[in-house]
Amino acid sequence: DVQLVESGGGSVQAGGSLRLSCAASGFTFSDYAMSWIRQAPGKELEWVASISRGFAASRSYADSVKGRFTISRDDRASMVYLQLNSLKSEDTAMYYCAKGPRDQALTSPRGQGTQVTVS
C-alpha cells in the first residue's frame, strides 16, 4: 500500500522558513512524479508544486509560491521535500505530499499532512 508521511511543519513568523519532508513507501518511488498540495482553513485543496521523475527532474510551482518555495527529491531515500522561504500568512495551511504529477495531485493518495502556521 502507498504510504506517505509528512513532517516538518510548525508555527513561524512571516518571513520565516520551514522545510517539509515526506517519506514515501509502498511503491517504486523513482518511477513517479511527486507533488505537494495544501489546504487552508475553509478553502479547497490547492496544488503547490510538482517534481518529475528522473535524474534531471523538472519542477513546477503555483504562481503564489514561485520564487519562495523549492521542491526536491531524494530517490535513494524515497523522500520528497518542500523548502518554504519568505513565508506569508496566506501560506497557512495543512500541507500534503501526493503521489503523481500536477494533474493527478489533488486526487492521488496523500499522507496525513503537516500543519504550517504563519503569523
Side-chain angles (χ1 to χ4, degrees):
D1 292 350
V2 173
Q3 284 197 317
L4 300 165
V5 180
E6 301 92 342
S7 61
S11 296
V12 296
Q13 292 187 333
S17 297
L18 286 171
R19 188 191 193 212
L20 308 185
S21 300
C22 172
S25 62
F27 61 103
T28 304
F29 181 79
S30 58
D31 285 349
Y32 290 88
M34 294 294 295
S35 299
W36 285 93
I37 60 177
R38 68 185 180 184
Q39 188 166 27
K43 296 189 177 181
E44 295 184 349
L45 278 170
E46 174 190 21
W47 170 76
V48 175
S50 295
I51 185 167
S52 68
R53 62 178 185 170
F55 180 75
S58 62
R59 298 161 172 82
S60 56
Y61 300 94
D63 288 344
S64 58
V65 307
K66 198 172 296 182
R68 301 187 298 119
F69 291 8
T70 303
I71 189 171
S72 61
R73 64 188 296 159
D74 181 346
D75 286 350
R76 290 174 296 178
S78 297
M79 297 286 293
V80 60
Y81 305 98
L82 188 67
Q83 178 69 41
L84 288 63
N85 295 331
S86 302
L87 281 161
K88 304 176 181 179
S89 58
E90 52 262 45
D91 295 319
T92 294
M94 186 70 79
Y95 284 72
Y96 304 89
C97 68
K99 173 175 170 277
R102 174 179 182 177
D103 61 354
Q104 299 172 15
L106 297 187
T107 56
S108 291
R110 59 181 180 265
Q112 83 290 343
T114 187
Q115 177 69 38
V116 172
T117 303
V118 185
S119 58

